Amino acid sequence: MSYLVPSVESAQPPVVIRGLHKSFGDNEVLRGIDLTVRSGEVVCIIGPSGSGKSTLLRCVNTLESPTRGSIQLLGAEVTDPDVEINQVRTHVGMVFQSFNLFPNMTAIGNCTIAQRQVLKRSKAEAIEIAKKNLTMVGLSDRMDYYPAQLSGGQQQRVAIARALSMDPKVMLFDEPTAALDPELVGDVLAVMRDLAKAGMTMLVVTHEMLFARDVSDRTIFMDGGVIVEEGPSATLVTAPSHKRTQIFLKRVLNPTAIDDSELGETEAD
Amino acid sequence: MAAFIHLRPTTRRRLGRWATYVLAVVVVVVVALPVNWPEIGRLFFNPEIAAKMWPTVVTVALKNTLIYTFAGFVGGTIFGTVLALMKIGRGPFGAFATAYIEFFRGIPMLLTIFAIAFMIPIAFPGASQLSGVVGGVIGLIMVTAAYTAEIIRSGIQAVPPGQAEAARSLGMSSLQTMFWVVLPQGFRIVIPPLTNEFVMLLKDTSLIFIAGLMVTEKELTTFARDDVSKYFNATPLMVAAAAYLVVTLPLTWMAGKLEKKLDPKR
């Protein structure tokens, strides 16, 4: 029996994905992904919807179980059924597109429940940590509010504080701003930017190209279940080398100017 | 006829409304006129008989009804939750839970109570001194569990899957996730059908008479029926009906309050 405590201090990169495949029935969503995220690195994953980027992220902490391949998360092989997956997940924060806050708990309650139940922290300690993190995301005056009493942007920041309260070594973001009103996106991105500056290892699925360009170290473009192109964010977002990446970015950054000839080429590719 | 059609719409609607009221009053009067009210009053609403039932109707009958109901509801809900969790999980336990639920929902409660109450002392000789009412309450619990299991299962499955994903991503085990995140939300969703189940159970405790009750174990309906034969008068049935309502009406009102209080969209 391997009872694995994630080896946080190991020299190994926190996320190492090799030959990852994932199928839902006959539908092969991921078709061989290789990806390494180094400690302190911020990696953005971009790509059209249905390209498998959310599935990839959900495979990392096995919310979806991979069909084939290997995922080393904080030194633990999460595809191994003998790995204590709950213990690994404790050190990996996840933020969802739909927030998924617990609606029957206040912001503080959301941030303390797992600390109390999983990390077995004392009530006082859990509340102190929750308050620290809620203050950090700019919600010191909303701690006793229920999710339904908060705006989308505030809810997502509570969700980030909830994940941070577990002292994660890696943070996974699954389109964290996709469900937000445009004017609320900035608050959430600002929190993520601070987090990146503080040295957090982050894997971010996003449609915010400017965030990818300015905040992340590396950007990955996915399409059809494979990584089409990856590189330093500034280069990839502003001067992509692949045709498909170029078309995708052109359409995302300038949605009103769609060129039919380019569309035809993508489908033929 | 032509004049009626040319009435203003508001006038026409008002006339139509008043015509309905008049019709309703006429129907009530026509039904009520031939009724023999003095005899009804003497046989069904007799204050002297009602006074004779006091206070045992409350201190024994209503008290026992409430005890049987609470025992059945608490036991049935706990057992029902276990059955619901078994049914959601895969494997042999799920099949067992399904079979159990289908079996006990499919036969009359009266038969179950009868069978359990008389089987227990024979099956377990050590329990032969046990009062029949204990077996009766066990029967209540077993049947109630079959119904609440389906209610609770529907509640659990109505909680968005993202809730469990969030809990699991924080490192909570599947058991912790169920207990701390899914069940509390699932129970809130099923407060209305659970209240309904409680009210049904309150009335179904009348079936416990089949287990054989001693004088001190009688619940409302049995108590009232015995008084009917004792006084040759049906007033006790009306008193029992009033006693049931005294419990159910405030209860449903309180359940409504609770549902509002726990509403996450407050």
Side-chain angles (χ1 to χ4, degrees):
Chain A
M1 289 293 285
S2 50
Y3 180 80
L4 284 181
V5 179
S7 48
V8 178
E9 269 73 41
S10 82
Q12 201 188 352
V15 183
V16 182
I17 301 169
R18 288 288 167 261
L20 175 64
H21 288 254
K22 172 67 185 176
S23 304
F24 295 101
D26 291 338
N27 182 19
E28 195 172 26
V29 179
L30 296 179
R31 301 188 292 175
I33 301 283
D34 294 289
L35 171 65
T36 302
V37 182
R38 289 184 303 276
S39 194
E41 197 179 22
V42 178
V43 176
C44 277
I45 306 174
I46 61 173
S49 68
S51 59
K53 49 196 194 310
S54 282
T55 306
L56 168 61
L57 198 74
R58 292 163 59 82
C59 278
V60 170
N61 68 354
T62 63
L63 283 183
E64 305 286 357
S65 41
T67 311
R68 196 145 48 85
S70 126
I71 300 173
Q72 300 264 330
L73 185 55
L74 297 171
E77 175 57 56
V78 295
T79 53
D80 180 354
D82 274 338
V83 160
E84 295 280 357
I85 187 65
N86 295 333
Q87 205 157 3
V88 180
R89 282 178 179 152
T90 306
H91 302 272
V92 179
M94 180 141 185
V95 176
F96 301 86
Q97 179 178 350
S98 50
F99 324 139
N100 295 350
L101 290 180
F102 307 132
N104 51 337
M105 303 175 199
T106 61
I108 283 273
N110 268 280
C111 295
T112 51
I113 178 78
Q115 291 191 66
R116 301 272 285 130
Q117 299 305 325
V118 180
L119 302 178
K120 308 289 179 198
R121 284 176 179 156
S122 74
K123 193 174 179 187
E125 188 188 7
I127 288 178
E128 190 189 326
I129 292 170
K131 281 183 173 171
K132 185 194 79 187
N133 285 310
L134 283 169
T135 307
M136 210 156 73
V137 299
L139 293 173
S140 51
D141 55 341
R142 293 284 186 278
M143 297 200 193
D144 295 321
Y145 284 50
Y146 285 89
Q149 299 167 317
L150 299 170
S151 74
Q154 290 169 335
Q155 287 189 52
Q156 192 60 297
R157 283 182 282 150
V158 173
I160 294 173
R162 174 174 71 177
L164 291 178
S165 296
M166 302 297 285
D167 299 328
K169 311 299 175 221
V170 177
M171 285 284 286
L172 309 173
F173 292 85
D174 186 6
E175 302 193 26
T177 57
L180 297 178
D181 286 344
E183 59 173 345
L184 302 176
V185 169
D187 293 339
V188 173
L189 291 183
V191 168
M192 291 168 63
R193 181 190 302 259
D194 291 346
L195 209 53
K197 269 187 200 148
M200 177 65 75
T201 309
M202 291 162 64
L203 192 52
V204 186
V205 171
T206 187
H207 290 295
E208 300 292 335
M209 296 309 145
L210 301 182
F211 176 84
R213 186 192 67 192
D214 299 339
V215 179
S216 68
D217 304 302
R218 191 150 54 98
T219 296
I220 286 162
F221 175 70
M222 276 181 74
D223 194 14
V226 294
I227 293 176
V228 175
E229 182 176 358
E230 66 173 293
S233 296
T235 320
L236 191 130
V237 175
T238 49
S241 53
H242 256 262
K243 189 78 184 162
R244 269 149 92 190
T245 321
Q246 289 167 4
I247 295 167
F248 172 78
L249 282 166
K250 193 183 260 180
R251 287 164 71 179
V252 171
L253 295 172
N254 194 0
T256 48
I258 295 172
D259 188 333
D260 284 339
S261 62
E262 284 176 346
L263 248 147
E265 272 179 61
T266 353
E267 271 148 17
D269 195 18
Chain B
M1 200 62 209
F4 182 77
I5 287 163
H6 285 113
L7 286 173
R8 273 190 306 163
T10 46
T11 318
R12 209 162 59 219
R13 277 198 290 271
R14 198 167 60 235
L15 281 176
R17 204 159 54 233
W18 279 104
T20 331
Y21 296 157
V22 169
L23 185 69
V25 170
V26 167
V27 168
V28 169
V29 168
V30 165
V31 173
L33 262 183
V35 169
N36 185 346
W37 286 113
E39 272 303 278
I40 287 284
R42 190 177 66 78
L43 288 172
F44 285 85
F45 300 95
N46 192 327
E48 286 169 34
I49 305 279
K52 281 184 193 165
M53 297 173 72
W54 191 265
T56 36
V57 66
V58 173
T59 56
V60 175
L62 181 58
K63 187 193 79 181
N64 282 335
T65 291
L66 288 177
I67 290 174
Y68 302 155
T69 308
F70 277 110
F73 189 72
V74 172
T77 304
I78 294 172
F79 187 24
T81 307
V82 174
L83 282 172
L85 294 176
M86 283 163 73
K87 194 170 176 182
I88 288 171
R90 286 165 294 249
F93 288 121
F96 168 80
T98 307
Y100 180 98
I101 292 165
E102 294 305 325
F103 183 79
F104 282 103
R105 279 201 311 189
I107 54 178
M109 196 185 237
L110 190 70
L111 292 189
T112 308
I113 293 176
F114 182 82
I116 301 288
F118 287 94
M119 270 183 198
I120 284 183
I122 298 168
F124 307 100
S128 58
Q129 298 303 313
L130 228 57
S131 158
V133 76
V134 176
V137 170
I138 293 175
L140 276 182
I141 291 174
M142 290 177 70
V143 179
T144 306
Y147 286 97
T148 51
E150 284 296 279
I151 294 174
I152 291 164
R153 182 183 62 86
S154 73
I156 290 173
Q157 291 179 338
V159 176
Q163 291 291 309
E165 286 179 359
R168 296 307 301 272
S169 76
L170 289 164
M172 290 166 88
S173 69
S174 53
L175 212 67
Q176 287 171 326
T177 300
M178 184 55 72
F179 186 77
W180 293 102
V181 174
V182 178
L183 276 183
Q185 294 182 54
F187 267 110
R188 195 206 69 76
I189 295 170
V190 297
I191 287 175
L194 273 186
T195 311
N196 193 44
E197 187 57 36
F198 187 94
V199 172
M200 303 276 280
L201 181 62
L202 180 79
K203 295 174 296 180
D204 283 343
T205 53
S206 62
L207 299 174
I208 217 164
F209 78 90
I210 199 82
L213 299 178
M214 290 188 289
V215 178
T216 51
E217 294 170 347
K218 283 183 193 168
E219 42 67 48
L220 272 171
T221 300
T222 313
F223 182 87
R225 282 202 315 186
D226 291 355
D227 274 4
V228 168
S229 2
K230 194 157 98 189
Y231 302 120
F232 296 108
N233 189 296
T235 304
L237 295 180
M238 301 298 133
V239 174
Y244 280 113
L245 285 176
V246 162
V247 179
T248 53
L249 294 182
L251 182 89
T252 42
W253 179 77
M254 267 158 42
K257 284 269 180 198
L258 183 68
E259 198 192 338
K260 279 212 184 65
K261 184 172 172 282
L262 297 179
D263 188 353
K265 286 173 221 61
R266 80 198 86 191

